[in-house]
Amino acid sequence: MTFLRRYAFFLILLPLFVVVHLEKELTGLIHYHFIYDRLVALFLLPFLFTGLFYVLYKNWKSAALLGFAVSAWAFFLGDIKNKFSEQFPEAIWSKYSFLFAISILLFFFIGIWIKRRKQNHSSTYFFLNILFLLFVLVDISMIYGGQAKGRYQMKDTELTPSANLADSSKPDIFYIIFDAYAASSTLRIEFSYDNSPFENELTAKGFQVIPESRSNYNYTAFSLSSVFHLQYMANADTTLKIHDREYLQALKTVQENPLIPFLALEEYAIHNHSLFDIKGHPTTRTRSDKWGIRELYDQYNIFFKFIRDLNHQLPAWMTNPVMDDRFFVNELKNRQEYDSLVYNDLLQSATYPEPRPRFIYAHFLTPHPPFHLDSLGQPIPEQEFDIKKGYVHQIARINRFIGQLTDTLLKPRARPLVIILQGDHGYTTVTDKVLKKERMFPNLQAWYFSSGNYEKLPPNLTNVNTFRILLNTWFKKDLPILHNEFYFIK
């Protein structure tokens, strides 16, 4: 194994470890075609540093060691910065100026130590090659061995097929999410906006509007996970601030849930037009980066992270190449396209001839910020932008859209019909820390049963009980209704 003592494989193994480790944590969630340029930068950086330090040392082995050290710093300082900023937000050691100054001093001494060593570094090469090879192999084994469980666990909900349930009695189910659609009470108090004409319109169509509806979580992935598991998350941390890497792991709990396999056993055709890939039923919306994976990868390049964190204080020539999130779903073009395609997919799934009952999950991003368009679908001039007015514009625009959508879905059909219109959580952009907890939970919730029997719907229904109510009503289940609990994730 002398080649492990001679060659700097660790220059490739280091970035490979970053990629494999993130894949282990977010198995099946990373779409690499959105981040090909980030991957190129990740793998090139160690070699660029090595070439730079060769000018200093005139020795490739010494240059590779310092190139490795600086690359490791570039890849992992972002995590250190996040931890320091979280624990000591005002302390000097959480500032970039301090971290960079200490880093320069540290690399000065490392560089001197490498230069003064008389050995050929073979033992150090061997150690680093073996260490990172083991790191990579362990993570790969966990990915393919099914041991990459993720950060969050859900409580179990066992759902068994319904006995003696006639196929003709199984309803077509439309579960439609409007992201961050707040309750009428919030719209009235926070925005002086009267949403009662819209709710009255739904009521006239036969919908039951839930007057005291609330979500159980203030973030999308946690909220939808509880909905599809019919249960609360077992270990949601409400004490510490979570970062993108921790938050994205919650997507895995939506990916594998008990509801979709149950409906599949009931011979439902499953249509997924959402933000989430669900096991066996991937989303049809694959043309945009829905969860900011590029930004996640930028946390592992301290130069990109620095530019993202301070982009308003830096010149455009420096920030534009990094902040160009052309794949991100919240970019204007992608945002308009996303909601439009979800709408088209939803209508196609609703009208396509299908002998089986159908379950259609559609997830619209409106009225969640950012706000690009006004209530008539016209761009909002930057000089006229106001976040509260922007949100009201989105509500007015999505209300018209919901009116058109429900008119189409309520046309006569062969099967019974269930439509659930729901905000995954409430209004998200409150700046007051006290008001945040009050405003981020109350949400829109309106139900339509073709039977007209709403006796099982309580006035204070929360999202976690959505499918407990539905299964009890239409599938002869006797699932207990969970006590309302609310988890404010920081």
Side-chain angles (χ1 to χ4, degrees):
M1 300 180 70
T2 57
F3 63 94
L4 292 176
R5 298 178 180 272
R6 294 176 58 190
Y7 300 109
F9 295 113
F10 50 78
L11 294 179
I12 294 177
L13 290 171
L14 174 62
L16 182 61
F17 167 68
V18 173
V19 173
V20 173
H21 194 68
L22 284 174
E23 178 62 32
K24 184 198 75 172
E25 292 189 350
L26 303 172
T27 305
L29 302 175
I30 300 176
H31 298 278
Y32 290 95
H33 59 285
F34 294 137
I35 55 168
Y36 62 89
D37 54 336
R38 271 31 183 183
L39 294 175
V40 170
L42 196 71
F43 281 91
L44 278 182
L45 208 57
F47 294 97
L48 291 175
F49 281 134
T50 297
L52 178 65
F53 296 131
Y54 177 76
V55 176
L56 174 66
Y57 287 124
K58 305 300 183 191
N59 180 293
W60 283 113
K61 283 204 164 186
S62 297
L65 279 180
L66 189 53
F68 168 83
V70 177
S71 298
W73 164 83
F75 295 160
F76 301 116
L77 184 64
D79 266 351
I80 296 172
K81 171 73 168 64
N82 288 339
K83 292 294 183 184
F84 282 178
S85 297
E86 175 187 314
Q87 298 292 333
F88 315 103
E90 302 302 324
I92 188 173
W93 50 82
S94 67
K95 310 297 182 184
Y96 276 112
S97 55
F98 176 83
L99 291 171
F100 284 166
I102 289 296
S103 299
I104 291 171
L105 188 63
L106 177 64
F107 291 134
F108 175 76
F109 287 112
I110 292 175
I112 292 176
W113 175 78
I114 291 174
K115 190 173 182 66
R116 288 181 176 177
R117 280 179 64 89
K118 303 300 182 183
Q119 298 94 332
N120 63 3
H121 305 300
S122 61
S123 59
T124 306
Y125 269 44
F126 183 78
F127 172 75
L128 291 175
N129 283 333
I130 289 294
L131 179 66
F132 278 88
L133 181 61
L134 287 175
F135 283 166
V136 169
L137 291 176
V138 167
D139 278 350
I140 290 175
S141 69
M142 293 183 72
I143 293 170
Y144 290 101
Q147 301 172 46
K149 297 298 184 183
R151 179 186 181 93
Y152 302 106
Q153 287 83 50
M154 299 298 301
K155 299 174 184 177
D156 291 330
T157 302
E158 186 176 350
L159 298 175
T160 55
S162 307
N164 302 320
L165 187 65
D167 178 77
S168 60
S169 68
K170 296 176 182 177
D172 286 337
I173 303 169
F174 293 84
Y175 181 57
I176 307 174
I177 289 289
F178 301 96
D179 211 298
Y181 196 128
S184 287
S185 57
T186 301
L187 295 173
R188 183 177 62 254
I189 297 168
E190 190 73 25
F191 305 94
S192 301
Y193 183 82
D194 181 11
N195 207 31
S196 60
F198 167 69
E199 293 191 349
N200 291 339
E201 179 185 335
L202 288 178
T203 301
K205 292 179 179 181
F207 280 83
Q208 181 86 354
V209 178
I210 309 301
E212 301 170 34
S213 171
R214 290 166 70 89
S215 64
N216 306 94
Y217 299 86
N218 57 314
Y219 282 122
T220 299
F222 295 95
S223 180
L224 269 300
S225 181
S226 70
V227 167
F228 283 109
H229 281 269
L230 292 76
Q231 196 47 277
Y232 293 105
M233 190 170 281
N235 60 336
D237 191 342
T238 59
T239 59
L240 296 176
K241 179 179 174 60
I242 64 168
H243 298 283
D244 288 346
R245 202 174 80 190
E246 291 88 16
Y247 174 71
L248 291 174
Q249 291 189 55
L251 306 186
K252 296 174 73 171
T253 61
V254 182
Q255 201 172 44
E256 298 196 34
N257 66 77
L259 178 68
I260 300 304
F262 166 79
L263 292 172
L265 287 174
E266 294 285 354
E267 299 186 342
Y268 268 76
I270 310 296
H271 302 264
N272 178 14
H273 313 305
S274 78
L275 297 172
F276 301 91
D277 283 318
I278 295 174
K279 187 175 181 180
H281 306 280
T283 178
T284 56
R285 295 294 95 242
T286 59
R287 289 167 57 171
S288 56
D289 177 9
K290 299 181 289 298
W291 296 103
I293 297 299
R294 285 170 67 81
E295 185 171 355
L296 171 68
Y297 261 80
D298 286 351
Q299 299 296 307
Y300 292 89
N301 184 323
I302 194 60
F303 306 109
F304 289 173
K305 176 176 170 56
F306 175 77
I307 291 171
R308 278 190 176 275
D309 289 350
L310 302 177
N311 75 88
H312 295 299
Q313 304 172 38
L314 299 172
W317 63 265
M318 183 183 295
T319 61
N320 286 347
V322 174
M323 300 302 292
D324 174 24
D325 281 349
R326 58 192 177 279
F327 299 114
F328 191 36
V329 75
N330 279 339
E331 289 295 304
L332 173 58
K333 178 183 176 182
N334 297 334
R335 184 64 173 271
Q336 290 176 278
E337 180 185 67
Y338 173 87
D339 276 354
S340 176
L341 291 174
V342 170
Y343 181 76
N344 292 336
D345 288 344
L346 172 56
L347 291 186
Q348 183 176 359
S349 297
T351 56
Y352 186 83
E354 173 62 66
R356 296 178 296 166
R358 66 193 85 196
F359 174 80
I360 300 173
Y361 168 35
H363 192 128
F364 294 92
L365 286 173
T366 307
H368 192 287
F371 310 131
H372 298 294
L373 305 176
D374 64 17
S375 59
L376 299 177
Q378 300 301 312
I380 300 175
E382 187 173 342
Q383 64 272 19
E384 297 178 14
F385 180 78
D386 174 86
I387 196 163
K388 286 197 171 185
K389 289 182 180 178
Y391 186 74
V392 168
H393 274 295
Q394 309 317 302
I395 293 293
R397 188 161 64 92
I398 202 66
N399 283 354
R400 276 203 319 276
F401 165 82
I402 294 173
Q404 297 167 1
L405 177 64
T406 51
D407 284 345
T408 301
L409 298 183
L410 290 172
K411 290 179 179 178
R413 57 182 57 241
R415 289 185 175 276
L417 176 63
V418 171
I419 304 173
I420 303 171
L421 309 176
Q422 195 174 80
D424 55 340
H425 51 73
Y427 179 59
T428 61
T429 53
V430 182
T431 55
D432 185 285
K433 292 183 179 179
V434 176
L435 284 179
K436 266 183 178 289
K437 293 187 178 181
E438 296 180 18
R439 301 289 188 258
M440 292 185 76
F441 292 103
N443 64 328
L444 166 75
Q445 191 160 186
W447 292 56
Y448 178 86
F449 287 166
S450 56
S451 66
N453 180 9
Y454 298 111
E455 64 180 24
K456 294 184 185 298
L457 291 177
N460 63 343
L461 177 63
T462 62
N463 289 17
V464 72
N465 284 311
T466 299
F467 287 100
R468 288 177 176 266
I469 295 286
L470 186 144
L471 296 183
N472 287 350
T473 303
W474 292 92
F475 291 84
K476 300 180 180 179
K477 298 295 182 184
D478 190 24
L479 299 170
I481 302 304
L482 301 182
H483 177 72
N484 289 338
E485 300 175 12
F486 305 99
Y487 297 88
F488 184 78
I489 311 296
K490 296 181 180 179

